[in-house]
Amino acid sequence: MKPFDDLSGYSKKTVPEMIQLLWALYADMVTDPALADSARQIRSVAEELERLREMARQVSLEDRYRGSRGKKRSTRRVKRQTQAREEATEWLRTVRTATPSKH
């Protein structure tokens, strides 16, 4: 199987445009009884996409709020992360190697 390297198949539309397109498609399909099951699936996808978009907006607002509270807290977090990374690196440097017969 070949990996998918061609990016031309991806949509260039924004999420709100895709949601509008799904709702329009749903509105066209819901009137046809033969397409009722497909219309329900499209409706559930549109609702899920709207829910995920709202969650992404909430995360964005929370990140913006956290960023506006000051640099001191983030500096401590970065120092803590750096120290943890250095401790892990030091542990890897000092760990004893296994004997070849154990492999």
Side-chain angles (χ1 to χ4, degrees), residues 6 8-11 19 24 30 42 47 61 63 74 88 94:
D6 185 21
S8 64
Y10 286 111
S11 174
I19 291 172
V30 77
I42 289 176
E47 289 171 345
L61 291 175
D63 284 348
S74 64
T94 59

Side-chain angles (χ1 to χ4, degrees), residues 18-30:
M18 291 181 77
I19 291 172
Q20 287 177 350
L21 178 69
L22 287 170
W23 282 119
L25 188 60
Y26 168 75
D28 291 342
M29 292 174 70
V30 77

Side-chain angles (χ1 to χ4, degrees), residues 78-96:
V78 169
K79 285 182 181 177
R80 224 178 13 245
Q81 289 172 345
T82 304
Q83 182 180 3
R85 192 175 312 122
E86 287 173 359
E87 289 173 0
T89 305
E90 185 60 33
W91 178 83
L92 284 172
R93 284 189 200 127
T94 59
V95 71
R96 285 184 33 210

Side-chain angles (χ1 to χ4, degrees), residues 37-80:
D37 290 336
S38 298
R40 279 194 295 272
Q41 289 177 350
I42 289 176
R43 178 182 174 172
S44 68
V45 168
E47 289 171 345
E48 182 69 13
L49 196 54
E50 284 181 338
R51 187 182 68 78
L52 291 173
R53 181 174 176 245
E54 179 60 26
M55 285 174 41
R57 189 182 73 79
Q58 288 293 330
V59 168
S60 174
L61 291 175
E62 288 173 5
D63 284 348
R64 193 176 307 148
Y65 174 72
R66 268 192 230 123
S68 67
R69 288 186 10 197
K71 298 283 182 184
K72 192 169 191 170
R73 173 172 269 176
S74 64
T75 303
R76 279 188 264 157
R77 184 180 64 230
V78 169
K79 285 182 181 177
R80 224 178 13 245

